[in-house]
Amino acid sequence: MTVNREKVDLLLSAAISNPLTEWPHEWRDSDSSIENLTIERALYHGIAGVLIAPQLQLENWPQRILDALLAQSRAQAMWELRHRSIVAHLIVELTTQKVTPILLKGTALAYDVYDEPYRRQRGDTDILVRDEDLAQTRETMRNCGFKMAASMTATHDPSSLQEPWEKDLGNGHVHEIDLHWRVMKGWALGDLFTFEEALRQNHHLPRLCKGAMSFGPVLALLHACVHRAQHISSPYYVDGVKYFGGDRLIWLNDIHLLAASLSSDQWDELCDQGEGKSVAEICYVALKTAERLLGTPIPPQVMSRMEASAQIESKPGKYLLRSEPTRQVWYDFVAVPGGRKKIAFIKWRLFPPETFMRAKYPDMAERSLPFLYGRRMLHFFRRREQ
């Protein structure tokens, strides 16, 4: 019997939304390939912790799958213990230095809408600070044992709006922080979410530590929808493998849980802010997908309003949903302020440092630098398969 990824993904999404989802009867006598694929897809989607939650009773699921999910979940729980301690200490130290950090995405949601933080699988923590606090934040991170990731120091993009930092605990345990001074990494959408807006709509995370804060629920849901759309054309990595696409189930589960937390007034606010930020189309697509795959309850009037607003062409929708990478680079170039920054922006994209080029093409690392630049240009202008 042939079972493809789509069928397995539908089973996994059903298991998230229905605690009594049974293993398909027609799969029970199949060979181990279906079990292998199910484990592979569950780990790719980052939902091991979600699937082994006590309220889910995976009736008649093969024990080998349950064992694999439990093992992954336990590993994530151990990581969470170490990571929480590191992040909490950093937040306290930043606050002591009069820096206000705001947590984004996975860690923020883990300590907000998930019953146990480790169920929200992730590999790092994203922290947003003010531009003027960037120097102090870097100094504090160094004092806390962090170093800028080697990949960043060797190939620094002068127009970047975020940078990765690492803390090596030894024994192979490296904890990562993505430091942001803009929420979005592309210049064209750099002001879509602002620090001051996040501070006005902040939401405290006492389960993490005193002083920890994130976006409020409305802003967090808007951001979750936009983050999903961002990866339609921007790559993400799972166990070192590059992927494109916005339907990773852990992201849809974020949207599902955030949506379930909104009051009637907050749904109205979501529509207002979605229209004000011109992201109604992006939100509509994301909410519709969560509704279809996870049964996310969304008020009908909200979907009607967003569907109507989605018909209006918007810059974020055009940038994230309908632009190839080359077009996005052009939009970012236009948005970069000042002639010098524009030159640095385009220079890095056309002719990155040699260290970057040889790391990007390890199988061709012995070839000349002009050859590698030619290879990059060919890849850059070739239409990426969707």
Side-chain angles (χ1 to χ4, degrees), residues 88-101 140 209-213:
H89 177 67
L90 177 60
I91 289 172
V92 170
E93 291 301 310
L94 287 172
T95 303
T96 301
Q97 297 300 322
K98 310 302 182 185
V99 174
T100 302
T140 302
C209 69
K210 182 179 180 180
M213 68 175 71

Side-chain angles (χ1 to χ4, degrees), residues 7 17 39 69 71 77 81 97 125 136 163 176 179 219 262 267 296 309 352 377 381:
K7 289 183 179 179
S17 59
I39 294 170
L69 296 177
L81 288 172
Q97 297 300 322
T125 286
Q136 181 61 63
E163 58 194 22
E176 300 178 8
L179 177 60
L219 204 60
L262 296 192
W267 276 114
T296 304
S309 300
M377 292 293 184
F381 288 106

Side-chain angles (χ1 to χ4, degrees), residues 345-361:
F345 175 89
I346 204 67
K347 179 181 178 182
W348 195 95
R349 276 146 189 82
L350 292 176
F351 305 107
E354 182 175 356
T355 49
F356 173 88
M357 295 302 296
R358 300 203 182 282
K360 183 174 179 62
Y361 302 108

Side-chain angles (χ1 to χ4, degrees), residues 200-215:
R200 288 194 304 272
Q201 300 186 44
N202 78 81
H203 179 73
H204 288 276
L205 304 171
R207 289 199 295 160
L208 176 54
C209 69
K210 182 179 180 180
M213 68 175 71
S214 65
F215 287 175

Side-chain angles (χ1 to χ4, degrees), residues 189-207:
L189 301 181
D191 294 327
L192 188 59
F193 301 95
T194 68
F195 184 93
E196 297 307 323
E197 172 187 39
L199 197 59
R200 288 194 304 272
Q201 300 186 44
N202 78 81
H203 179 73
H204 288 276
L205 304 171
R207 289 199 295 160

Side-chain angles (χ1 to χ4, degrees), residues 159-368:
S159 63
S160 178
L161 298 173
Q162 63 190 71
E163 58 194 22
W165 289 71
E166 298 176 343
K167 183 170 184 175
D168 191 344
L169 303 183
N171 299 321
H173 298 301
V174 177
H175 289 258
E176 300 178 8
I177 299 289
D178 269 356
L179 177 60
H180 296 243
W181 47 104
R182 293 289 188 281
V183 175
M184 304 298 294
K185 70 176 184 178
W187 277 94
L189 301 181
D191 294 327
L192 188 59
F193 301 95
T194 68
F195 184 93
E196 297 307 323
E197 172 187 39
L199 197 59
R200 288 194 304 272
Q201 300 186 44
N202 78 81
H203 179 73
H204 288 276
L205 304 171
R207 289 199 295 160
L208 176 54
C209 69
K210 182 179 180 180
M213 68 175 71
S214 65
F215 287 175
V218 172
L219 204 60
L221 182 51
L222 288 170
H223 184 218
C225 293
V226 172
H227 174 255
R228 171 191 174 274
Q230 179 176 293
H231 287 300
I232 292 174
S233 58
S234 179
Y236 58 93
Y237 295 84
V238 179
D239 294 331
V241 179
K242 181 191 290 188
Y243 295 93
F244 291 89
D247 289 340
R248 197 167 178 233
L249 290 176
I250 194 65
W251 298 336
L252 291 175
N253 197 52
D254 293 342
I255 292 170
H256 175 78
L257 294 174
L258 283 165
S261 75
L262 296 192
S263 66
S264 177
D265 288 345
Q266 288 173 326
W267 276 114
D268 291 339
E269 187 181 346
L270 181 84
C271 291
D272 291 342
Q273 290 198 39
E275 291 169 357
K277 293 178 178 296
S278 300
V279 295
E281 178 187 11
I282 291 170
C283 290
Y284 175 75
V285 172
L287 290 171
K288 194 72 175 175
T289 304
E291 182 182 53
R292 175 174 58 86
L293 292 178
L294 301 183
T296 304
I298 304 166
Q301 67 273 19
V302 170
M303 294 305 289
S304 296
R305 182 174 169 184
M306 285 200 168
E307 184 177 16
S309 300
Q311 307 308 312
I312 303 172
E313 182 72 74
S314 68
K315 183 174 78 172
K318 188 175 183 180
Y319 182 93
L320 293 173
L321 301 178
R322 289 180 293 279
S323 293
E324 288 296 309
T326 49
R327 177 63 63 178
Q328 290 181 343
V329 169
W330 169 250
Y331 291 144
D332 287 335
F333 172 76
V334 171
V336 170
R340 288 187 177 181
K341 285 188 176 180
K342 285 184 185 294
I343 291 172
F345 175 89
I346 204 67
K347 179 181 178 182
W348 195 95
R349 276 146 189 82
L350 292 176
F351 305 107
E354 182 175 356
T355 49
F356 173 88
M357 295 302 296
R358 300 203 182 282
K360 183 174 179 62
Y361 302 108
D363 295 340
M364 307 180 196
E366 300 304 318
R367 305 297 292 266
S368 68

Side-chain angles (χ1 to χ4, degrees), residues 42-75:
L43 298 184
Y44 157 75
H45 284 294
I47 56 172
V50 176
L51 292 175
I52 60 90
Q55 63 269 28
L56 266 65
Q57 303 174 31
L58 302 182
E59 295 290 338
N60 302 317
W61 283 49
Q63 189 62 43
R64 195 162 67 89
I65 294 178
L66 300 179
D67 290 344
L69 296 177
L70 184 59
Q72 177 62 29
S73 184
R74 284 174 173 166

